[in-house]
Amino acid sequence: MDQQIVVGVGNIYITEALFMARIHPLTPANALSSSSLSQLVSAIKQILRRAIAQGGTTLKDFLNTQGKPGYFKQSLQVYGRSGQPCQRCQKPLNVLSLCQRTTVYCQVCQVKSE
Ligand SMILES: [Zn+2]
């Protein structure tokens, strides 16, 4: 399996899960409280379950040949939506590049905890 595809798919899930759990993408993992952490874990589970229900059982199926999310795209709340209004607060979503990955987040809903 192509490593790029795996990284890309992982990034979609993480981007969505962080939004769902209201965690800022730059929050260091060790700064997360145990309640934020369990929210993040349950967000990832929900997203994976939904993605599988919508698109099939292999991760590769979620990206089309342009590397964009396929079946799963309908339910993405933040990934690929930078500049568009947040579905929670209607403020424009921000984009952030870290380690060659791009993540999208809401600076109002996702607060960085130190
Ligand atoms: Zn928001």
Side-chain angles (χ1 to χ4, degrees), residues 1-13 59-69 79 98-102:
M1 191 183 269
D2 184 344
Q3 187 63 23
Q4 283 306 114
I5 292 173
V6 176
V7 170
V9 170
N11 195 29
I12 296 172
Y13 293 142
L59 291 177
K60 268 202 298 192
D61 287 344
F62 298 120
L63 295 185
N64 64 21
T65 48
Q66 280 86 45
K68 295 283 195 301
Y79 191 88
L98 38 138
C99 310
Q100 302 180 336
R101 302 187 321 181
T102 301

Side-chain angles (χ1 to χ4, degrees), residues 76 92 95 102:
L76 295 176
V95 65
T102 301

Side-chain angles (χ1 to χ4, degrees), residues 15-24 39 43 46-47 50 77-78 81 84-93 104-111:
T15 298
E16 292 294 311
L18 288 172
F19 177 77
M20 201 181 272
R22 298 176 181 244
I23 297 169
H24 191 284
Q39 276 182 320
Q46 277 182 54
I47 288 163
R50 210 196 299 157
Q77 294 188 287
V78 284
R81 298 189 69 243
Q84 295 179 43
C86 169
Q87 293 180 5
R88 273 197 199 120
C89 71
Q90 308 304 315
K91 294 278 187 294
L93 295 169
V104 181
Y105 71 102
C106 176
Q107 63 179 357
V108 179
C109 298
Q110 289 166 265
V111 182

